[in-house]
Amino acid sequence: MPSLIILYTFPMQHISLSQSIFHIPHSSPIIPNNSFYTNDQLMQSEMNLLTDWATERIYAVPGGDTVTAHFNRVFCDVERLPDTEEPMHAKGMGIYYTHTDNGELLRTENENHKKRIIENLYTPHHKKLTDAVNNKLKSGESAIIFDCHSFSSTPLKRELQQDLDRPDICLGTDNYHTPSWLITRLTSHFKTHGFTVALNKPYIGTIVPLSYYRKEKQVSSIMVEINKKLYMNENTYQVNEDQVQKLNEIIRMLFDSSTSL
């Protein structure tokens, strides 16, 4: 008589919105005055290329906390480390961008100007993110940071990974701050909706406030990068609003307990 085999399936862990912080650092098109750019047309071209267009709408999930940079990354990139620690600084793409992706001079480095940018924009932005995490922990919640981005369908010249085979979704992880269940949850969710998913390809890592980095397991973080080809024309920078709405609906479904099985 054959043995009876019982297969058990287990529900995937639900992601609570009360835990969630959406970090959106590269969506703004705003360049403040007195930017020291050598050529406005060159600056506009670089901004078009590097901005994470429409991500503030793609990742808009009511009920979660959002920390957004309200200035363009070409002016001040809040996701860069201080110059001595940032690999992209040598390529003119640190906190204070000085060169374009083609290597053209975008802005002469002005130490006084850079110091003011760090004091007035970079440091306050990181304080907002740290405060958002603090508030979660003080209220008895753990914190989950979703580091929200988009990326070009073909590699930029300065990018560290030049593989042309790019996924629809890149998930950036940290060995300490990204739990395996969170990786599994997001990977399964996006694959269910027909997307290809890769871990740390073409971008590696995710943001964590320095005061908690490798110190607090209650602070989780995962970077979510969406290929721009899914929602915009990368030659004209025209955004497809229907695709933006569709992606937003898919992101929101991550937090719907009825879809987590």
Side-chain angles (χ1 to χ4, degrees):
M1 183 175 180
S3 301
L4 179 63
I5 300 174
I6 301 176
L7 298 178
Y8 292 95
T9 59
F10 297 91
M12 289 194 181
Q13 190 162 343
H14 175 58
I15 306 171
S16 170
L17 268 175
S18 64
Q19 298 173 287
S20 301
I21 300 167
F22 299 91
H23 181 238
I24 306 176
H26 293 158
S27 65
S28 175
I30 296 173
I31 299 286
N33 293 329
N34 301 319
S35 56
F36 287 85
Y37 289 109
T38 58
N39 183 305
D40 287 343
Q41 186 174 357
L42 197 63
M43 179 273 295
Q44 184 66 49
S45 176
E46 195 70 0
M47 185 181 77
N48 287 339
L49 178 67
L50 297 179
T51 299
D52 285 351
W53 298 106
T55 49
E56 77 285 354
R57 286 178 284 142
I58 291 172
Y59 295 100
V61 183
D65 291 351
T66 302
V67 178
T68 305
H70 298 292
F71 42 86
N72 193 262
R73 65 183 296 185
V74 176
F75 185 76
C76 171
D77 194 336
V78 296
E79 289 243 334
R80 299 303 188 207
L81 296 168
D83 294 348
T84 56
E85 304 169 48
E86 176 54 59
M88 297 303 289
H89 173 65
K91 299 185 178 185
M93 200 177 179
I95 294 173
Y96 186 95
Y97 287 20
T98 58
H99 290 76
T100 68
D101 190 54
N102 289 324
E104 297 173 272
L105 181 65
L106 181 66
R107 173 171 58 179
T108 301
E109 189 154 332
N110 181 303
E111 288 299 328
N112 287 331
H113 187 229
K114 180 164 70 172
K115 182 180 179 181
R116 291 198 301 273
I117 286 175
I118 291 172
E119 290 176 349
N120 296 328
L121 298 178
Y122 182 89
T123 300
H125 177 88
H126 282 274
K127 184 179 184 303
K128 286 180 183 177
L129 181 59
T130 301
D131 287 348
V133 172
N134 287 343
N135 290 337
K136 297 295 183 191
L137 299 181
K138 286 180 180 177
S139 66
E141 295 274 9
S142 56
I144 304 176
I145 301 169
F146 294 90
D147 196 17
C148 305
H149 296 265
S150 65
F151 64 98
S152 300
S153 60
T154 56
L156 302 177
K157 293 180 180 179
R158 288 183 287 198
E159 290 185 7
L160 301 178
Q161 295 190 27
Q162 289 292 314
D163 190 345
L164 295 177
D165 182 20
R166 299 194 140 197
D168 296 326
I169 307 291
C170 164
L171 300 178
T173 66
D174 178 88
N175 289 337
Y176 185 94
H177 288 283
T178 313
S180 58
W181 72 264
L182 187 59
I183 297 171
T184 300
R185 177 77 178 92
L186 268 67
T187 300
S188 175
H189 180 75
F190 286 119
K191 285 186 174 181
T192 296
H193 288 278
F195 298 117
T196 58
V197 181
L199 296 184
N200 297 307
K201 176 187 176 181
Y203 300 102
I204 298 172
T206 184
I207 197 166
V208 178
L210 187 59
S211 58
Y212 291 111
Y213 185 61
R214 301 294 171 98
K215 299 173 185 176
E216 177 55 76
K217 279 286 189 181
Q218 290 297 102
V219 179
S220 300
S221 182
I222 190 165
M223 180 171 67
V224 183
E225 293 257 9
I226 294 177
N227 197 315
K228 289 181 179 179
K229 71 180 182 181
L230 297 177
Y231 70 91
M232 67 180 291
N233 183 316
E234 295 178 80
N235 294 316
T236 64
Y237 305 108
Q238 183 70 35
V239 170
N240 183 317
E241 296 296 340
D242 289 340
Q243 291 302 110
V244 167
Q245 183 177 347
K246 179 180 177 181
L247 287 168
N248 176 247
E249 290 171 357
I250 291 170
I251 293 292
R252 291 189 186 205
M253 288 171 67
L254 269 168
F255 306 91
D256 181 355
S257 59
S258 67
T259 65
S260 64
L261 299 180

